[in-house]
Amino acid sequence: MAKKRHYVSKKIIVMLLLLFFVLGSFLYVYYFRRELLLWIIVSLKPEKPAVSFSQLQKSHFSNIGEIEKANWVRIFTLWNDIEREKGKYDFSFLDLLVKHFQKDNRVLLITIMPYAKWDQDTCHDEKYLAEFPTPRGKARIKVGKPCDMNAYRSFLRALVERYDGDGKDDMPGLRYPIKHWEIINEPSMQGIGEFDLKFFYGTPEEYLEILKVSYQAIKQADPEAVVLMGGMAGMHKEAVEFWDKIMDEAKNYFDVANIHSISTTGEREDLYLIKFKEFLRRHGVDKPIWITEAQYGELFKPPKDLASVEKLMVRSTVFAFANGAEKIFHIGNWYEFWKSKSTQKVYETLVNKLDYFDSVEIIRQECEETYEGVRVVVGQYKFTIGNRTVYVLWGEAPLPQELQGKLLKVTNIYGESKIIKSTEVKLSDSPIYIEIVGG
């Protein structure tokens, strides 16, 4: 019996050592050799059948949870991750990342973070230090205006040239071109205020210089490229003051205006769109608008009233599209952190019903102004997607005339459908999707 117990104990020890070795190896690869881990994932990943790039670009949503539609993915690209030594470019990690997403038919929006350690250290002190997430992991680096703007310009031209799909110096195996470039995330966020986030440290005028040089370098490498202004961090006082100082000139150096709405509530169902449009109008800007960050509730902590947030997601997204937003990049905190299956179902239904829409018509819209934006009391919208028509309705109001007397397919925000007569439709604060199936 003693020998048997000794044998069992030895076996357990060996199994534990093996487990620790496997776990340790995984953690080592995850934290220190992400490129190897990504190479393994990309090598094993099957490639979906190719789709035309023009069709992929028509998508209006960001991909969350690897759903079939919602083709857009936004990623940070740090100068230091490609040019760790001056004049020596290493695109290997970004190449793998591009292949990873393009195998799934995703379209990339690249957010340029124009910081290289060897460059920043030549003219900036410790107060410029910041931390932010990148695909390689958390970056800790100084975030001032590049000290050597000529070196930055050369880097950016090489970057755009590698992924523009023109057949010259392209990434081997590039499946789709990369045509969309954002210049710094939220440059007005400088480590001051309740969020203590810092993505850039400098004056508005210094950001303007970065934007101007970036725009010119990108267009030189790829005249067809689309440049986005750095996402405006909401319509808070600090963000407005930052952009007010430079927008009259900055508007000449981007193609798409860009706004963010974080911790969105029912007091801001427009995702800051109305105030942002007024801000742009005041500066004479008439350009497409993208919302490249739309977040609901807290990032990590699920809300107490999840159903209200799910209704809000649909209402705010539909309202924003109907009132001029071309693309919306939702932050999938419900998927990554809350682990909410119901919220993911709401997003999937929203995407499946409306993505690739060609046009949207406002049938009826009644709003209440709030301190932060607007609350949409009644919303009635008509989306045309190819040869399909989908209505999105909510609020206490009569059914649109064109739906009355029809047989209708009614789908709630969770994707549950039923066929009913128009007289049986009950409108509430929860949006419904309606499609005509008979006269």
Side-chain angles (χ1 to χ4, degrees):
M1 284 294 291
K3 286 185 177 181
K4 188 174 182 180
R5 283 197 299 269
H6 176 72
Y7 172 75
V8 171
S9 300
K10 190 174 181 180
K11 189 175 181 181
I12 291 173
I13 291 172
V14 170
M15 290 177 66
L16 287 173
L17 287 173
L18 183 61
L19 179 62
F20 284 134
F21 173 77
V22 172
L23 181 60
S25 300
F26 173 79
L27 291 174
Y28 171 76
V29 169
Y30 181 79
Y31 286 107
F32 301 108
R33 297 294 303 277
R34 285 200 177 189
E35 187 171 331
L36 174 60
L37 180 61
L38 185 57
W39 180 83
I40 294 171
I41 292 171
V42 171
S43 299
L44 296 175
K45 188 172 192 172
E47 187 173 82
K48 292 183 178 178
V51 179
S52 73
F53 183 60
S54 60
Q55 174 64 17
L56 295 178
Q57 287 187 102
K58 280 187 66 177
S59 176
H60 298 278
F61 294 88
S62 59
N63 194 265
I64 298 169
E66 298 186 2
I67 55 182
E68 191 64 30
K69 297 180 182 180
N71 300 117
W72 286 93
V73 174
R74 175 176 176 247
I75 57 174
F76 283 18
T77 296
L78 180 65
W79 180 11
N80 193 71
D81 284 344
I82 292 171
E83 191 177 355
R84 293 183 179 272
E85 295 181 47
K86 186 174 181 178
K88 296 181 179 179
Y89 301 138
D90 180 0
F91 293 100
S92 56
F93 184 82
L94 185 55
D95 283 356
L96 285 170
L97 204 59
V98 170
K99 289 178 182 178
H100 170 68
F101 287 118
Q102 292 197 345
K103 278 191 169 187
D104 283 333
N105 292 333
R106 304 304 176 206
V107 185
L108 295 177
L109 166 61
I110 303 292
T111 301
I112 301 294
M113 303 301 280
Y115 316 119
K117 187 178 186 303
W118 56 265
D119 175 69
Q120 291 284 313
D121 286 346
T122 63
C123 68
H124 297 309
D125 59 25
E126 297 302 301
K127 70 174 177 286
Y128 287 82
L129 270 175
E131 292 185 353
F132 51 84
T134 74
R136 276 187 178 270
K138 183 178 287 187
R140 178 175 170 79
I141 197 167
K142 296 171 186 175
V143 292
K145 191 191 86 171
C147 306
D148 186 342
M149 291 297 282
N150 286 327
Y152 169 61
R153 186 184 287 107
S154 297
F155 152 74
L156 195 50
R157 283 198 299 259
L159 175 68
V160 174
E161 184 59 62
R162 187 168 183 83
Y163 302 104
D164 64 1
D166 65 354
K168 176 188 174 185
D169 298 327
D170 285 348
M171 178 194 96
L174 183 70
R175 202 174 190 206
Y176 305 108
I178 296 176
K179 294 290 186 181
H180 297 80
W181 308 89
E182 178 186 13
I183 312 304
I184 304 183
N185 179 61
E186 298 182 346
S188 67
M189 298 293 282
Q190 305 206 7
I192 302 169
E194 61 175 306
F195 299 109
D196 195 34
L197 294 173
K198 185 192 293 185
F199 299 109
F200 170 68
Y201 193 74
T203 66
E205 292 75 18
E206 286 175 322
Y207 173 75
L208 174 60
E209 186 178 350
I210 298 171
L211 179 64
K212 181 177 180 179
V213 167
S214 300
Y215 181 87
Q216 292 171 339
I218 290 169
K219 294 291 186 176
Q220 183 179 358
D222 181 9
E224 297 177 350
V226 177
V227 177
L228 282 71
M229 61 178 269
M232 190 165 171
M235 296 303 295
H236 304 291
K237 179 174 177 287
E238 294 81 6
V240 173
E241 288 178 350
F242 182 94
W243 283 98
D244 253 336
K245 295 176 181 177
I246 59 173
M247 185 55 84
D248 287 340
E249 186 176 352
K251 66 186 179 185
N252 299 312
Y253 302 108
F254 63 82
D255 304 304
V256 174
N258 183 7
I259 184 69
H260 291 175
S261 178
I262 302 301
S263 302
T264 306
T265 70
E267 299 298 296
R268 196 200 314 146
E269 281 193 323
D270 62 325
L271 301 176
Y272 279 130
L273 182 63
I274 300 303
K275 285 187 175 182
F276 186 52
K277 287 174 71 173
E278 173 58 27
F279 172 82
L280 295 175
R281 186 199 63 76
R282 201 167 68 242
H283 288 281
V285 181
D286 182 17
K287 299 192 178 190
I289 297 173
W290 291 16
I291 301 172
T292 60
E293 288 186 16
Q295 178 188 313
Y296 301 88
E298 296 181 28
L299 184 60
F300 301 108
K301 186 179 178 182
K304 293 180 180 178
D305 188 354
L306 189 61
S308 292
V309 170
E310 292 166 345
K311 288 185 285 188
L312 172 63
M313 182 200 298
V314 178
R315 290 198 305 259
S316 62
T317 301
V318 169
F319 176 90
F321 283 143
N323 287 273
E326 288 192 358
K327 316 282 186 189
I328 302 179
F329 289 67
H330 294 80
I331 294 176
N333 49 337
W334 68 81
Y335 183 82
E336 187 172 356
F337 303 118
W338 304 354
K339 306 300 181 185
S340 171
K341 292 182 180 179
S342 66
T343 313
Q344 180 64 9
K345 186 63 178 177
V346 170
Y347 189 66
E348 289 179 4
T349 303
L350 176 63
V351 169
N352 287 331
K353 288 295 182 182
L354 303 182
D355 204 11
Y356 308 116
F357 69 83
D358 300 296
S359 63
V360 53
E361 173 189 341
I362 299 174
I363 298 173
R364 182 169 181 169
Q365 182 172 273
E366 298 176 14
C367 303
E368 295 176 350
E369 287 191 20
T370 69
Y371 177 74
E372 292 193 64
V374 300
R375 183 186 302 109
V376 189
V377 180
V378 173
Q380 298 190 347
Y381 307 94
K382 180 180 179 179
F383 286 81
T384 301
I385 312 103
N387 59 2
R388 294 170 50 233
T389 299
V390 179
Y391 298 81
V392 187
L393 312 177
W394 70 88
E396 295 183 9
L399 208 62
Q401 185 67 36
E402 56 204 274
L403 296 180
Q404 293 181 20
K406 305 291 185 180
L407 190 63
L408 306 173
K409 179 182 179 181
V410 178
T411 306
N412 65 19
I413 62 173
Y414 301 101
E416 300 163 340
S417 300
K418 58 184 177 181
I419 308 295
I420 58 176
K421 296 177 181 178
S422 62
T423 53
E424 300 176 82
V425 175
K426 305 296 182 185
L427 297 179
S428 69
D429 68 333
S430 185
I432 54 174
Y433 307 95
I434 294 182
E435 296 160 85
I436 298 174
V437 295

Short mmCIF file of all heavy atoms in Angstrom, two decimals, residues 17-46:
data_model
loop_
_atom_site.label_atom_id
_atom_site.label_comp_id
_atom_site.label_asym_id
_atom_site.label_seq_id
_atom_site.Cartn_x
_atom_site.Cartn_y
_atom_site.Cartn_z
N LEU A 17 3.82 19.28 -12.42
CA LEU A 17 4.98 19.91 -13.06
C LEU A 17 4.72 20.14 -14.55
O LEU A 17 5.07 21.18 -15.11
CB LEU A 17 6.22 19.04 -12.87
CG LEU A 17 6.82 19.01 -11.46
CD1 LEU A 17 7.93 17.98 -11.37
CD2 LEU A 17 7.35 20.39 -11.07
N LEU A 18 4.09 19.14 -15.19
CA LEU A 18 3.76 19.26 -16.60
C LEU A 18 2.76 20.39 -16.83
O LEU A 18 2.89 21.19 -17.77
CB LEU A 18 3.18 17.94 -17.11
CG LEU A 18 2.84 17.88 -18.61
CD1 LEU A 18 4.09 18.11 -19.45
CD2 LEU A 18 2.21 16.53 -18.95
N LEU A 19 1.76 20.48 -15.91
CA LEU A 19 0.76 21.54 -16.02
C LEU A 19 1.41 22.91 -15.86
O LEU A 19 1.12 23.84 -16.64
CB LEU A 19 -0.32 21.34 -14.95
CG LEU A 19 -1.44 22.39 -14.89
CD1 LEU A 19 -2.23 22.40 -16.20
CD2 LEU A 19 -2.37 22.12 -13.71
N PHE A 20 2.29 23.06 -14.87
CA PHE A 20 2.99 24.33 -14.65
C PHE A 20 3.86 24.69 -15.85
O PHE A 20 3.98 25.85 -16.24
CB PHE A 20 3.85 24.26 -13.39
CG PHE A 20 3.06 24.35 -12.11
CD1 PHE A 20 3.30 23.48 -11.07
CD2 PHE A 20 2.06 25.30 -11.96
CE1 PHE A 20 2.58 23.56 -9.89
CE2 PHE A 20 1.32 25.39 -10.79
CZ PHE A 20 1.57 24.51 -9.75
N PHE A 21 4.47 23.68 -16.46
CA PHE A 21 5.32 23.92 -17.62
C PHE A 21 4.48 24.44 -18.80
O PHE A 21 4.86 25.41 -19.45
CB PHE A 21 6.04 22.63 -18.03
CG PHE A 21 6.81 22.76 -19.32
CD1 PHE A 21 8.03 23.42 -19.35
CD2 PHE A 21 6.30 22.24 -20.51
CE1 PHE A 21 8.74 23.55 -20.54
CE2 PHE A 21 6.99 22.37 -21.70
CZ PHE A 21 8.22 23.02 -21.72
N VAL A 22 3.34 23.78 -19.04
CA VAL A 22 2.48 24.19 -20.15
C VAL A 22 1.93 25.59 -19.89
O VAL A 22 1.94 26.46 -20.77
CB VAL A 22 1.32 23.19 -20.34
CG1 VAL A 22 0.30 23.72 -21.35
CG2 VAL A 22 1.87 21.84 -20.79
N LEU A 23 1.46 25.84 -18.65
CA LEU A 23 0.91 27.15 -18.31
C LEU A 23 1.99 28.23 -18.40
O LEU A 23 1.76 29.31 -18.93
CB LEU A 23 0.31 27.12 -16.90
CG LEU A 23 -0.33 28.43 -16.40
CD1 LEU A 23 -1.48 28.84 -17.33
CD2 LEU A 23 -0.83 28.26 -14.97
N GLY A 24 3.17 27.91 -17.88
CA GLY A 24 4.27 28.86 -17.92
C GLY A 24 4.69 29.18 -19.34
O GLY A 24 4.98 30.33 -19.68
N SER A 25 4.71 28.16 -20.19
CA SER A 25 5.07 28.37 -21.59
C SER A 25 4.05 29.26 -22.29
O SER A 25 4.41 30.16 -23.06
CB SER A 25 5.17 27.02 -22.32
OG SER A 25 6.15 26.21 -21.74
N PHE A 26 2.76 29.01 -22.00
CA PHE A 26 1.72 29.83 -22.61
C PHE A 26 1.83 31.28 -22.16
O PHE A 26 1.75 32.20 -22.98
CB PHE A 26 0.33 29.29 -22.25
CG PHE A 26 -0.79 30.18 -22.71
CD1 PHE A 26 -1.21 30.15 -24.04
CD2 PHE A 26 -1.42 31.04 -21.83
CE1 PHE A 26 -2.23 30.97 -24.48
CE2 PHE A 26 -2.44 31.88 -22.26
CZ PHE A 26 -2.85 31.83 -23.59
N LEU A 27 2.03 31.50 -20.84
CA LEU A 27 2.14 32.86 -20.33
C LEU A 27 3.36 33.56 -20.90
O LEU A 27 3.32 34.76 -21.21
CB LEU A 27 2.19 32.85 -18.80
CG LEU A 27 0.89 32.43 -18.10
CD1 LEU A 27 1.12 32.31 -16.60
CD2 LEU A 27 -0.22 33.42 -18.39
N TYR A 28 4.45 32.83 -21.06
CA TYR A 28 5.67 33.41 -21.63
C TYR A 28 5.41 33.86 -23.06
O TYR A 28 5.75 34.99 -23.45
CB TYR A 28 6.81 32.40 -21.60
CG TYR A 28 8.03 32.86 -22.38
CD1 TYR A 28 8.89 33.82 -21.86
CD2 TYR A 28 8.29 32.35 -23.66
CE1 TYR A 28 9.98 34.26 -22.59
CE2 TYR A 28 9.38 32.78 -24.39
CZ TYR A 28 10.24 33.73 -23.85
OH TYR A 28 11.31 34.18 -24.57
N VAL A 29 4.78 32.99 -23.85
CA VAL A 29 4.49 33.33 -25.25
C VAL A 29 3.51 34.50 -25.30
O VAL A 29 3.67 35.43 -26.09
CB VAL A 29 3.92 32.10 -25.99
CG1 VAL A 29 3.36 32.52 -27.36
CG2 VAL A 29 4.99 31.05 -26.16
N TYR A 30 2.47 34.48 -24.42
CA TYR A 30 1.45 35.51 -24.46
C TYR A 30 2.02 36.88 -24.12
O TYR A 30 1.72 37.89 -24.77
CB TYR A 30 0.31 35.17 -23.49
CG TYR A 30 -0.80 36.20 -23.50
CD1 TYR A 30 -1.75 36.20 -24.51
CD2 TYR A 30 -0.88 37.17 -22.51
CE1 TYR A 30 -2.77 37.15 -24.53
CE2 TYR A 30 -1.89 38.12 -22.52
CZ TYR A 30 -2.83 38.10 -23.53
OH TYR A 30 -3.83 39.05 -23.56
N TYR A 31 2.86 36.95 -23.10
CA TYR A 31 3.36 38.24 -22.64
C TYR A 31 4.65 38.69 -23.33
O TYR A 31 4.91 39.88 -23.46
CB TYR A 31 3.57 38.22 -21.13
CG TYR A 31 2.27 38.27 -20.36
CD1 TYR A 31 1.77 37.14 -19.71
CD2 TYR A 31 1.53 39.44 -20.29
CE1 TYR A 31 0.57 37.18 -19.01
CE2 TYR A 31 0.32 39.50 -19.60
CZ TYR A 31 -0.15 38.37 -18.96
OH TYR A 31 -1.34 38.40 -18.28
N PHE A 32 5.47 37.75 -23.77
CA PHE A 32 6.78 38.13 -24.29
C PHE A 32 6.99 37.77 -25.76
O PHE A 32 7.88 38.32 -26.41
CB PHE A 32 7.89 37.48 -23.45
CG PHE A 32 7.83 37.88 -22.00
CD1 PHE A 32 7.42 36.97 -21.04
CD2 PHE A 32 8.16 39.17 -21.59
CE1 PHE A 32 7.35 37.33 -19.70
CE2 PHE A 32 8.10 39.54 -20.25
CZ PHE A 32 7.69 38.62 -19.31
N ARG A 33 6.20 36.85 -26.29
CA ARG A 33 6.38 36.44 -27.68
C ARG A 33 5.04 36.44 -28.41
O ARG A 33 4.63 35.46 -29.01
CB ARG A 33 7.03 35.05 -27.74
CG ARG A 33 8.42 34.97 -27.14
CD ARG A 33 9.44 35.79 -27.91
NE ARG A 33 9.49 35.39 -29.32
CZ ARG A 33 10.21 34.36 -29.76
NH1 ARG A 33 10.94 33.65 -28.90
NH2 ARG A 33 10.24 34.05 -31.02
N ARG A 34 4.35 37.58 -28.36
CA ARG A 34 3.02 37.66 -28.97
C ARG A 34 3.08 37.41 -30.48
O ARG A 34 2.13 36.91 -31.07
CB ARG A 34 2.38 39.01 -28.68
CG ARG A 34 1.89 39.13 -27.25
CD ARG A 34 0.86 40.22 -27.12
NE ARG A 34 0.36 40.26 -25.75
CZ ARG A 34 -0.67 41.00 -25.36
NH1 ARG A 34 -1.30 41.76 -26.23
NH2 ARG A 34 -1.08 41.00 -24.10
N GLU A 35 4.19 37.79 -31.08
CA GLU A 35 4.31 37.58 -32.51
C GLU A 35 4.28 36.09 -32.86
O GLU A 35 3.64 35.68 -33.83
CB GLU A 35 5.60 38.22 -33.03
CG GLU A 35 5.71 38.19 -34.54
CD GLU A 35 6.87 39.03 -35.05
OE1 GLU A 35 7.25 40.01 -34.38
OE2 GLU A 35 7.41 38.68 -36.11
N LEU A 36 4.93 35.27 -32.03
CA LEU A 36 4.91 33.82 -32.24
C LEU A 36 3.49 33.28 -32.07
O LEU A 36 3.02 32.47 -32.89
CB LEU A 36 5.86 33.13 -31.26
CG LEU A 36 5.85 31.60 -31.26
CD1 LEU A 36 6.23 31.07 -32.64
CD2 LEU A 36 6.80 31.06 -30.19
N LEU A 37 2.80 33.74 -31.02
CA LEU A 37 1.43 33.30 -30.78
C LEU A 37 0.53 33.69 -31.94
O LEU A 37 -0.27 32.88 -32.43
CB LEU A 37 0.91 33.90 -29.48
CG LEU A 37 -0.52 33.53 -29.07
CD1 LEU A 37 -0.65 32.03 -28.85
CD2 LEU A 37 -0.93 34.28 -27.80
N LEU A 38 0.67 34.92 -32.42
CA LEU A 38 -0.15 35.39 -33.54
C LEU A 38 0.18 34.61 -34.80
O LEU A 38 -0.72 34.28 -35.59
CB LEU A 38 0.07 36.89 -33.75
CG LEU A 38 -0.79 37.57 -34.81
CD1 LEU A 38 -2.27 37.38 -34.51
CD2 LEU A 38 -0.45 39.06 -34.89
N TRP A 39 1.45 34.29 -35.02
CA TRP A 39 1.84 33.50 -36.19
C TRP A 39 1.17 32.13 -36.17
O TRP A 39 0.68 31.64 -37.20
CB TRP A 39 3.36 33.34 -36.23
CG TRP A 39 3.84 32.53 -37.40
CD1 TRP A 39 4.08 32.96 -38.67
CD2 TRP A 39 4.10 31.11 -37.40
NE1 TRP A 39 4.47 31.94 -39.47
CE2 TRP A 39 4.50 30.77 -38.72
CE3 TRP A 39 4.06 30.12 -36.43
CZ2 TRP A 39 4.84 29.47 -39.09
CZ3 TRP A 39 4.39 28.82 -36.79
CH2 TRP A 39 4.78 28.50 -38.09
N ILE A 40 1.13 31.50 -35.00
CA ILE A 40 0.49 30.19 -34.88
C ILE A 40 -1.00 30.30 -35.19
O ILE A 40 -1.57 29.50 -35.95
CB ILE A 40 0.70 29.61 -33.46
CG1 ILE A 40 2.18 29.32 -33.22
CG2 ILE A 40 -0.14 28.36 -33.26
CD1 ILE A 40 2.51 28.96 -31.78
N ILE A 41 -1.65 31.34 -34.64
CA ILE A 41 -3.09 31.53 -34.85
C ILE A 41 -3.38 31.77 -36.33
O ILE A 41 -4.29 31.16 -36.92
CB ILE A 41 -3.61 32.71 -34.00
CG1 ILE A 41 -3.55 32.36 -32.51
CG2 ILE A 41 -5.03 33.08 -34.40
CD1 ILE A 41 -3.83 33.53 -31.59
N VAL A 42 -2.61 32.66 -36.94
CA VAL A 42 -2.83 32.99 -38.36
C VAL A 42 -2.57 31.78 -39.25
O VAL A 42 -3.31 31.52 -40.21
CB VAL A 42 -1.95 34.18 -38.78
CG1 VAL A 42 -2.01 34.39 -40.29
CG2 VAL A 42 -2.37 35.45 -38.05
N SER A 43 -1.53 31.00 -38.93
CA SER A 43 -1.18 29.84 -39.75
C SER A 43 -2.29 28.79 -39.72
O SER A 43 -2.54 28.11 -40.72
CB SER A 43 0.13 29.23 -39.25
OG SER A 43 1.20 30.14 -39.36
N LEU A 44 -2.95 28.64 -38.58
CA LEU A 44 -3.98 27.62 -38.43
C LEU A 44 -5.36 28.10 -38.86
O LEU A 44 -6.27 27.29 -39.04
CB LEU A 44 -4.04 27.15 -36.97
CG LEU A 44 -2.78 26.46 -36.43
CD1 LEU A 44 -2.95 26.16 -34.94
CD2 LEU A 44 -2.49 25.17 -37.20
N LYS A 45 -5.52 29.40 -39.02
CA LYS A 45 -6.84 29.97 -39.27
C LYS A 45 -7.25 29.76 -40.74
O LYS A 45 -6.51 30.10 -41.65
CB LYS A 45 -6.81 31.47 -38.96
CG LYS A 45 -8.16 32.16 -39.00
CD LYS A 45 -8.03 33.57 -38.47
CE LYS A 45 -9.39 34.18 -38.24
NZ LYS A 45 -9.30 35.47 -37.56
N PRO A 46 -8.45 29.23 -40.99
CA PRO A 46 -8.92 29.08 -42.37
C PRO A 46 -9.28 30.43 -42.97
O PRO A 46 -9.65 31.37 -42.25
CB PRO A 46 -10.16 28.19 -42.23
CG PRO A 46 -10.65 28.44 -40.84
CD PRO A 46 -9.42 28.69 -40.01
#
